[in-house]
């Protein structure tokens, strides 16, 4: 194909992606996500098209910048970075143009500046040392052993078998196994060596001869070449001012040692003469483990097993002791008393006590490691008591050159592991994920085991049961997915449209032949999402206290999206705790006492109490304006109001009594208000039924009263401190009562618009 035809074909594909983002036509919505996938497949099958596609994407980005078409900037930027990660033969001029464009975006508001900073940091490393992004991605995702780059990642795919059909589960499992059967460690090491040499040597590298030599090399020789290439790339990437010339010389030595000096020169000359097509170097899909979520503690167990195999080899002895003891920040620390023999008189000091030791002497080193006797006080980093830095809201200048979450939470301990937890299902599955996330955070306050070593990333793909697709329940069960789609148009186009394709895959007959090469669309979209979806949207988790008997302690639970209240037909016994109020008229529903704190823009506390008769009520954690409608917007909203995103929208079906000549009649009217906390109690003999997150398995019956409030971070809020004791024991003095920090659950998207 001529170069002009190649450019025209790629230009048409890019324009199709842009039309998909800017149109709500049903014909285009049916193929959403396919255009991006087919565009990447074109350059994957023919790597020589990559520089042409990079120029086209850069041209479209500069056009969007000049015409202020911001809704296409982030999708185009993600597409461009994904191409640059896999491509070889990109000129330094294209890298610098892309980097310059990203730096210009830093003047825009979030999320554009955040995504641009992420891309700029990656591009700076890739420009200096081509092939770094590909190498680090493959090593981390495939868990290849490397001392120079010890990071590891894993994708945990969780499916609830009661919400997702067995045919969907088996189809996804077969597609994952078919793709990973071809991704042996030897094949991944060959890809890393080939990509690094082609990216740096360019036309001087005969790719076909190189790949033939690598396939013929035994395992020990392949590992030697792999470690040599990784060491060369990582050492150069770690230098403040890397030199391309020195890096080129080092990789040329490895290339000549592979093919031999004479063979390398001969193959290079033949390659220039014959103009062989450049062979494709695939980017293997990440290591994905498939799990049927049947146990409440399953997420915790899988994360611990992910850390266990190699954590003992990399952790210091002090941290291992710390892990065995457990870190209990809210447990009282024992005092260590020491009998002092110091009289306070200078002449009683032993001889030589006033002489300072030599700075480099062993005495000085021991003095630096010892501490004087007294009260032992454990110093905790500010974020350790409340591990909100475990993928909580991050600032603009987070490190993105390494895997997300990289950094030190405890001195000397790096987060070498990244767990990408992907859940498939509807709002009920997200409610279950919120329960597991809350339980996991609560465990970390008792034993600080995962937080210092693991970066946790959460992802969500909406999948509904086939029988619920055409029903009105379809929109009810995917409210959070619709919210994410309206906040992030690229999420709507790429992820929210995946459900029909998954069901089509489940209807296809399974192929047991894993030897033939296939293009797994579902797996490719999942891979693209977990790699490029780095910007989280945070959702408030709410706690509910449920009273079945006012004289006993309440049960506690949490919910993420919705709490629905229904009035039961059954009544209290005559000696119930909530007698019927005097003068209350019989009618449909129940008499409810409602006390809530009104949500105001000024954030001032305003308590409201009322009593009314209602047939039911619904508490929604998502704003109604963002859950109505489906399909992408032409431009992303500027930012969802914080008061909407962090407040409950309460819809009460109030019973209104009216009197006329025919007698009394009752009608219902919908009342809506917003609040952060609310307490509701039945005032007559009617009992309540609570349904959490639309999940029938989380139903509470015979409820008298319930209280809802934002769920606080475990171990946040008030801290107690001991008053100094002189003589008789004194009561504890309360420390400053800090406002409890709310527990937010992050779900990764491509832009993370809502903050």
């Amino acid at each position: 194909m001529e170069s002009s035809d190649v450019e025209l074909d790629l230009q048409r594909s890019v324009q199709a992606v842009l039309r998909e983002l800017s149109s709500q036509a049903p014909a285009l919505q049916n193929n959403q996500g396919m255009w991006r996938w087919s565009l990447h497949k074109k350059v994957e099958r023919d790597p020589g098209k990559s520089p042409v596609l990079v120029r086209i994407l850069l041209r479209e980005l500069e056009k969007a910048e000049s015409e202020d078409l911001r809704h296409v900037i982030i999708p185009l930027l993600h597409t461009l970075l994904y191409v640059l990660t896999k491509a070889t033969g990109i000129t330094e001029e294209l890298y610098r143009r892309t980097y310059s464009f990203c730096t210009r975006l830093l003047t825009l508001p979030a999320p554009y500046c955040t995504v641009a900073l992420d891309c700029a940091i990656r591009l700076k490393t890739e420009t200096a040392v081509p092939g770094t992004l590909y190498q680090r991605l493959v090593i981390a995702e495939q868990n290849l052993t490397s001392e120079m780059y010890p990071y590891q990642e894993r994708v945990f795919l969780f499916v609830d078998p009661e919400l997702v059909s067995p045919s969907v589960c088996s189809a996804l499992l077969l597609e994952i196994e078919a793709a990973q059967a071809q991704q042996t460690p030897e094949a991944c090491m060959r890809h890393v060596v080939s990509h690094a040499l082609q990216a740096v040597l360019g036309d001087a590298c005969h790719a076909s001869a190189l790949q033939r030599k690598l396939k013929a090399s035994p395992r020990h020789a392949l590992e030697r070449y792999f470690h040599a290439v990784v060491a060369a790339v990582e050492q150069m990437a770690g230098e403040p001012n890397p030199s391309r010339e020195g890096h080129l010389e080092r990789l040329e030595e490895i290339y000549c040692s592979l093919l031999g000096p004479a063979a390398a020169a001969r193959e290079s000359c033949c390659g220039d003469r014959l103009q062989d097509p450049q062979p494709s170097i695939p980017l293997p899909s990440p290591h994905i483990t498939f799990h049927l979520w049947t146990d409440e503690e399953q997420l915790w167990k899988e994360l611990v097993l992910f850390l266990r195999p190699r954590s003992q080899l990399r952790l210091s002895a002090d941290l291992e002791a710390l892990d065995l003891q457990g870190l209990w920040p809210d447990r009282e620390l024992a005092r260590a008393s020491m009998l002092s023999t110091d009289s306070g008189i200078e002449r009683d000091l032993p001889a030589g006590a006033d002489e300072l030791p030599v700075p480099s002497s062993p005495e000085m080193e021991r003095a630096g490691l010892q501490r004087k006797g007294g009260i032992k006080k454990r110093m905790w980093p500010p974020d350790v008591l409340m591990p909100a830095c475990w993928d909580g809201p991050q600032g603009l200048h987070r490190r993105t050159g390494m895997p997300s979450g990289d950094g030190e939470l405890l001195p000397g301990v790096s987060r070498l592991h990244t767990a990408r937890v992907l859940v498939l299902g509807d709002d009920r599955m997200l409610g279950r994920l919120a329960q597991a996330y809350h339980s996991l955070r609560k465990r970390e306050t008792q034993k600080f085991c995962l937080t210092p070593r693991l970066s946790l990333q959460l992802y969500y793909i909406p999948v509904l049961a086939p029988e619920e697709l055409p029903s009105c329940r379809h929109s009810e069960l995917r409210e959070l997915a619709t919210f994410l789609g309206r906040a992030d148009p690229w999420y709507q186009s790429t992820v929210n449209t995946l459900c029909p394709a998954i069901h089509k895959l489940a209807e296809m007959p399974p192929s047991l032949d894993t030897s033939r090469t296939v293009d797994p669309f579902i797996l490719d979209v999942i891979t693209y999402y977990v790699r490029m979806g780095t910007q989280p949207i945070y959702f408030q988790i709410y706690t509910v206290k449920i009273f079945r008997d006012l004289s006993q302690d309440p049960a506690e639970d949490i919910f993420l999206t919705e709490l629905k209240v229904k009035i039961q037909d059954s009544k209290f016994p005559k000696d119930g705790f909530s007698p019927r109020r005097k003068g209350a008229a019989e009618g449909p529903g129940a008499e409810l006492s409602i006390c809530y704190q009104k949500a105001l823009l000024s954030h001032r506390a305003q308590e409201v109490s009322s009593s009314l008769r209602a047939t039911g009520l619904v508490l929604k954690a998502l704003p109604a304006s963002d859950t109505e409608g489906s399909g992408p917007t032409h431009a992303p909203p500027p930012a969802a109001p914080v008061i909407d995103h962090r407040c409950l929208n309460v819809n009460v079906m109030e019973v209104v009594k009216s009197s006329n000549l025919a007698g009394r009649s009752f009608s219902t009217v919908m009342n809506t208000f917003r609040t952060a906390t609310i307490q509701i109690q039945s005032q007559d003999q009617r009992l309540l039924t609570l349904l959490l997150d639309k999940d029938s398995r989380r139903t509470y019956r015979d409820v008298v009263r319930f209280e809802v409030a934002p769920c606080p971070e475990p171990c946040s809020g008030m801290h107690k401190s001991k008053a100094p004791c002189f003589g008789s024991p004194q009561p504890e003095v309360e420390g400053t009562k800090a406002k409890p920090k709310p527990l937010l659950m992050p779900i990764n998207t491509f832009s993370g618009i809502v903050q």
Side-chain angles (χ1 to χ4, degrees):
M1 189 182 291
E2 297 291 335
S3 59
S4 59
D5 296 336
V6 170
E7 184 172 357
L8 187 59
D9 178 58
L10 293 175
Q11 181 70 38
R12 282 197 296 261
S13 298
V14 172
Q15 291 299 325
V17 174
L18 297 179
R19 284 196 303 271
E20 177 184 303
L21 287 168
S22 304
S23 175
Q24 297 186 14
L28 289 176
Q29 288 185 4
N30 292 335
N31 294 322
Q32 280 187 339
M34 292 295 296
W35 295 112
R36 182 211 60 82
W37 179 75
S38 62
L39 180 64
H40 286 296
K41 281 299 173 183
K42 287 179 181 179
V43 295
E44 183 179 309
R45 297 189 184 105
D46 187 358
K49 297 179 180 179
S50 297
V52 181
L53 181 56
V54 170
R55 290 192 188 94
I56 294 173
L57 293 172
L58 266 176
R59 191 163 58 238
E60 293 295 334
L61 279 168
E62 291 166 353
K63 178 182 176 182
E65 181 190 20
S66 62
E67 298 180 3
D68 200 24
L69 301 176
R70 295 188 181 181
H71 68 286
V72 302
I73 288 180
I74 290 179
L76 287 176
L77 205 55
H78 280 307
T79 305
L80 176 58
L81 186 62
Y82 204 60
V83 173
L84 290 174
T85 301
K86 299 193 289 185
T88 58
I90 305 298
T91 62
E92 188 173 356
E93 181 262 338
L94 286 177
Y95 278 124
R96 296 198 179 279
R97 277 183 59 191
T98 308
Y99 180 78
S100 176
F101 177 81
C102 291
T103 55
R104 292 200 303 269
L105 293 183
L106 296 180
T107 60
L108 296 180
Y112 308 101
C113 61
T114 309
V115 176
L117 179 65
D118 186 4
C119 295
I121 296 175
R122 295 173 188 264
L123 285 170
K124 187 174 183 180
T125 304
E126 185 71 11
T127 304
V129 188
T132 307
L133 296 182
Y134 180 95
Q135 174 178 291
R136 290 178 173 179
L137 198 61
V138 174
I139 292 175
E141 290 182 345
Q142 304 302 324
N143 296 334
L144 300 179
T145 304
S146 174
E147 293 182 359
M148 298 297 297
Y149 194 77
Y151 296 92
Q152 296 184 21
E153 297 183 6
R154 185 174 297 176
V155 179
F156 298 86
L157 179 58
F158 281 92
V159 177
D160 191 333
E162 297 186 22
L163 303 180
V164 180
S165 64
S167 60
V168 170
C169 295
S170 59
L172 290 173
L173 184 58
L174 284 175
E175 182 161 331
I176 292 172
E177 289 178 346
Q180 295 186 350
Q182 305 171 5
Q183 298 175 183
T184 61
E186 292 82 3
C188 294
M189 285 190 285
R190 287 196 298 267
H191 297 333
V192 170
V193 175
S194 299
H195 188 276
L197 293 176
Q198 289 187 43
V200 175
L201 301 181
D203 295 335
C205 174
H206 192 277
S208 299
L210 176 63
Q211 292 189 6
R212 287 195 300 268
K213 179 65 175 179
L214 289 173
K215 286 183 180 179
S217 300
R219 172 69 183 257
H220 64 87
L222 181 61
E223 288 183 351
R224 186 172 70 251
Y225 294 129
F226 168 75
H227 290 301
V229 168
V230 172
V233 172
E234 290 299 328
Q235 287 176 4
M236 188 59 60
E239 293 182 2
N241 297 312
S243 170
R244 268 201 168 193
E245 290 76 13
H247 185 51
L248 177 62
E249 291 178 2
R250 188 165 183 184
L251 289 188
E252 280 180 344
E253 292 178 2
I254 299 175
Y255 178 69
C256 292
S257 66
L258 260 167
L259 298 181
R266 183 174 63 253
E267 294 290 353
S268 178
C269 294
C270 294
D272 292 339
R273 233 182 7 252
L274 298 176
Q275 294 291 326
D276 289 342
Q278 184 180 1
S280 173
I281 303 176
L283 178 59
S285 59
H287 181 57
I288 301 177
T289 57
F290 188 88
H291 306 275
L292 295 177
W293 203 333
T294 56
D295 183 9
E296 292 183 359
E297 303 295 331
Q298 192 169 355
L299 177 60
W300 166 265
K301 294 175 183 177
E302 294 296 337
L303 295 180
V304 171
L305 290 175
F306 176 44
L307 285 176
R308 181 171 295 174
R310 297 186 182 181
S311 62
Q312 298 175 359
L313 301 178
R314 292 200 178 100
L315 293 178
S316 63
D318 293 339
L319 184 62
E320 285 297 331
L322 209 64
D323 185 27
L324 293 175
Q325 297 171 6
L327 303 184
W328 304 83
D330 48 359
R331 176 182 290 181
E332 293 182 5
L333 299 176
R335 293 177 178 236
S337 300
M338 178 176 288
L339 179 63
S340 175
T341 57
D342 185 5
S343 64
I345 304 174
E346 187 176 353
R347 65 170 178 266
D348 291 341
L349 290 174
D354 54 346
E355 298 179 2
L356 294 177
V358 181
S360 59
S361 63
E363 291 82 3
M364 194 66 179
E365 293 180 3
R366 284 195 297 270
L369 297 175
Q370 292 175 350
R371 60 183 296 276
K372 300 298 181 181
I375 300 176
K376 292 183 180 179
K377 185 177 181 181
R378 182 176 292 170
M379 300 301 295
W380 296 86
D383 291 328
V384 171
L385 286 175
M386 297 173 289
C389 53
W390 191 11
D391 303 309
Q394 299 180 5
L396 182 61
H397 299 284
R398 69 187 185 96
R399 292 184 63 188
T400 52
M402 298 290 184
S404 54
D406 174 52
E408 292 186 356
L409 190 59
L410 289 179
V413 183
S414 296
R415 287 179 172 179
L416 303 178
H417 295 73
T418 299
R420 306 190 184 278
V421 178
L422 172 64
V423 296
L424 269 65
D426 49 34
D427 289 351
R428 296 171 290 182
M429 185 63 174
L430 287 172
R432 189 165 188 178
L433 177 64
Q435 282 185 307
Y437 185 72
H438 175 261
S439 174
L440 198 146
R441 297 293 286 266
K442 197 172 181 180
R443 276 179 180 266
E444 287 298 293
T445 65
Q446 300 172 351
K447 187 173 183 181
F448 208 57
C449 175
L450 295 178
T451 307
R453 318 173 200 175
L454 179 72
S455 171
L456 180 65
Q457 307 286 322
L458 303 181
Y459 302 83
Y460 168 55
I461 294 179
V463 176
L464 299 179
E467 60 271 10
E468 293 170 349
L469 286 175
S471 65
C472 62
R473 189 166 168 77
H474 171 270
S475 59
E476 294 180 2
L477 291 176
R478 52 171 300 164
E479 285 184 339
L480 195 140
T482 306
F483 181 89
L484 292 174
R486 293 181 64 86
D488 183 356
W490 198 227
Y491 180 92
Q492 170 67 26
S493 174
T494 306
V495 179
N496 268 354
T497 56
L498 205 55
C499 182
I502 291 177
H503 287 295
K504 287 181 182 178
L505 175 67
E507 295 170 1
M508 294 172 60
S511 175
L512 301 179
D513 184 12
T514 59
S515 60
R516 65 186 185 93
T517 303
V518 295
D519 289 329
F521 172 71
I522 306 298
L523 183 60
D524 284 349
V525 175
I526 290 175
T527 299
Y528 179 79
Y529 176 35
V530 298
R531 283 174 178 164
M532 308 307 294
T534 59
Q535 306 300 323
I537 292 179
Y538 298 93
F539 293 91
Q540 174 67 62
I541 297 177
Y542 290 90
T543 181
V544 53
K545 295 182 179 180
I546 302 167
F547 296 84
R548 288 191 173 97
D549 189 337
L550 297 180
S551 62
Q552 298 180 1
D553 293 334
E556 290 194 20
D557 206 339
I558 63 168
F559 69 93
L560 182 69
T561 58
E562 180 184 287
L563 187 152
K564 181 176 287 187
V565 183
K566 296 181 179 179
I567 309 300
Q568 294 181 196
D569 294 332
S570 58
K571 298 184 177 182
F572 285 114
K574 292 184 179 180
D575 56 348
F577 296 101
S578 296
R580 177 185 167 192
R581 190 169 54 86
K582 236 180 203 183
E586 288 290 346
E591 194 77 16
L592 301 179
S593 172
I594 301 178
C595 179
Y596 64 95
Q597 184 173 333
K598 193 172 183 179
L600 301 173
L601 291 175
S602 61
H603 299 286
R604 289 179 295 180
Q606 180 179 343
E607 297 287 343
V608 178
S609 299
S610 63
S611 181
L612 51 86
R613 178 167 288 273
T615 59
L617 63 153
V618 180
L619 285 69
K620 288 186 175 293
L622 297 177
S625 59
D626 283 308
T627 57
E628 295 172 357
S630 61
T633 55
H634 289 274
V642 176
I643 192 67
D644 280 340
H645 190 44
R646 302 287 169 82
C647 287
L648 288 170
N649 295 272
V650 184
N651 301 318
V652 183
M653 291 298 298
E654 184 178 359
V655 177
V656 178
K657 182 184 71 172
S658 60
S659 301
N660 50 35
L661 295 177
R664 291 183 301 176
S665 62
F666 299 92
S667 61
T668 58
V669 61
M670 175 72 74
N671 286 335
T672 303
F673 57 89
R674 294 182 307 182
T675 180
T677 61
I678 187 171
Q679 301 91 36
I680 298 178
Q681 181 172 334
S682 177
Q683 292 298 314
D684 54 16
Q685 296 182 2
R686 297 283 185 181
L687 294 171
L688 309 177
T689 297
L690 306 186
L691 180 65
L692 304 182
D693 285 325
K694 310 161 192 174
D695 194 345
S696 59
R697 297 169 297 182
R698 301 177 60 197
T699 301
Y700 292 87
R701 302 183 184 278
D702 302 333
V703 177
V704 180
R705 171 188 173 91
F706 68 93
E707 302 174 358
V708 177
C711 182
E713 275 276 6
C715 203
S716 69
M718 187 185 302
H719 303 286
K720 293 182 179 181
S721 60
K722 289 273 189 178
C725 298
F726 299 99
S728 60
Q730 306 242 349
E732 290 184 355
V733 176
E734 297 290 344
T736 57
K737 185 174 182 179
K739 185 178 180 180
K741 189 175 182 180
L743 177 60
L744 307 178
M745 188 177 78
I747 297 179
N748 281 18
T749 61
F750 297 101
S751 63
I753 292 175
V754 182
Q755 295 293 339

